[in-house]
Amino acid sequence: MTDAATTGTDWAAWQQSWDRQQEWYMPDREERFRVMLDMVEAVVGPEPRVLDLACGTGSITDRLLKRFPKATSVGVDLDPALLAIAEGYFAGDERVTFVTADLKDPEWVTGLPHDSYDAVLTATALHWLHTEPLTALYGQLAGLVRDGGVFMNADHMIDETTPRINAVERAHRHAAMDRAKAAGALDWAEWWAVAAKDPVLAEPTARRFEIYGEHADGDTPSSRRHAEILCAAGFAEARPVWASPSDTLVLAVK
């Protein structure tokens, strides 16, 4: 792992900077994490083995371990810059392991250190996937979550049957974002521009854009459609357990 002792980098500051940038888009981000961990505790208890899927800087893992000190976490991501922050931030914590993997690769699960998990958690990540690879991924996750275990996905999920509600919600949300931006908040592109100038993060940031290119979204199915795909993949039950006007947390039990 890369740690502050060898780089002189303040990884906690980078972790916090990422959180603030994400909160510009999702001011209720902490609330979804709280409900997610409430449901982890309710379904599998306070000492879970967790797979933090598309973990980024490890935001979920950070909150998981602060709330449940006896939990363990395996973070999976492909982004070299965000993984560098995560590895630096959690350096020396034996409860945490990171794996570099492409979730679109059918063999990505072979790189994991365990065959099963009490909980698989992800947030604000799978909207990068189109429906076909998302469906394939959900099938793989059904094989990783133990019987009685849980999968949760908190993300932007659009109900296309409510276009008027969607339009006014988006306008209201973006007006609030504009006010926050005027007050100095960094957006996604600006945050990456800062990372690209950092002596330690410049190289992994360049590799990150070689892998992904500029930001591009996949599909954003409704929460109802997510639940249908999850049940078809092998989960016994699935439904939303939290929602904001724009985002939803879907929980599936194996």
Side-chain angles (χ1 to χ4, degrees):
M1 288 188 177
T2 303
D3 59 39
T6 58
T7 66
T9 298
D10 187 343
W11 294 116
W14 276 109
Q15 175 77 264
Q16 293 165 10
S17 174
W18 177 260
D19 282 344
R20 300 296 84 78
Q21 179 259 125
Q22 290 287 285
E23 287 166 0
W24 179 66
Y25 296 94
M26 299 163 288
D28 49 23
R29 188 167 177 254
E30 291 302 324
E31 177 68 8
R32 74 190 65 194
F33 287 150
R34 182 190 67 78
V35 175
M36 179 180 282
L37 296 182
D38 281 351
M39 293 296 97
V40 167
E41 185 174 25
V43 179
V44 299
E47 300 181 21
R49 175 193 289 169
V50 169
L51 180 63
D52 185 351
L53 195 69
C55 64
T57 64
S59 296
I60 291 175
T61 293
D62 188 33
R63 287 149 183 82
L64 171 80
L65 298 180
K66 286 175 178 174
R67 178 160 169 179
F68 306 125
K70 293 184 179 180
T72 59
S73 179
V74 176
V76 176
D77 210 300
L78 185 61
D79 189 313
L82 298 185
L83 280 174
I85 295 171
E87 291 174 346
Y89 181 74
F90 291 99
D93 192 332
E94 295 181 353
R95 299 171 297 175
V96 186
T97 304
F98 289 103
V99 175
T100 300
D102 183 351
L103 298 181
K104 293 181 181 179
D105 180 350
E107 302 300 319
W108 74 270
V109 296
T110 63
L112 298 177
H114 308 292
D115 294 330
S116 69
Y117 295 83
D118 300 308
V120 177
L121 309 176
T122 188
T124 327
L126 301 190
H127 63 268
W128 287 73
L129 299 178
H130 290 284
T131 301
E132 184 175 344
L134 178 69
T135 300
L137 177 63
Y138 279 176
Q140 291 175 306
L141 297 181
L144 288 173
V145 176
R146 67 163 173 84
D147 287 347
V150 64
F151 166 72
M152 278 182 273
N153 178 17
D155 210 343
H156 195 43
M157 300 181 187
I158 298 176
D159 188 337
E160 299 292 354
T161 67
T162 58
R164 291 167 60 194
I165 295 173
N166 298 348
V168 296
E169 181 281 320
R170 187 180 188 279
H172 185 267
R173 174 163 43 89
H174 278 260
M177 291 167 67
D178 288 344
R179 292 192 296 270
K181 187 74 176 297
L186 292 182
D187 64 20
W188 187 89
E190 290 167 335
W191 189 91
W192 280 110
V194 173
K197 296 176 182 178
D198 182 83
V200 176
L201 289 178
E203 189 274 334
T205 296
R207 285 193 286 120
R208 180 244 180 261
F209 280 95
E210 289 175 2
I211 293 168
Y212 291 109
E214 296 300 324
H215 190 281
D217 287 330
D219 298 330
T220 51
S222 68
S223 60
R224 184 183 312 108
R225 183 62 184 137
H226 276 276
E228 291 171 350
I229 297 171
L230 286 162
C231 288
F235 288 90
E237 299 177 2
R239 72 166 176 85
V241 292
W242 173 90
S244 72
S246 60
D247 289 17
T248 303
L249 171 60
V250 170
L251 180 153
V253 175
K254 180 73 178 297

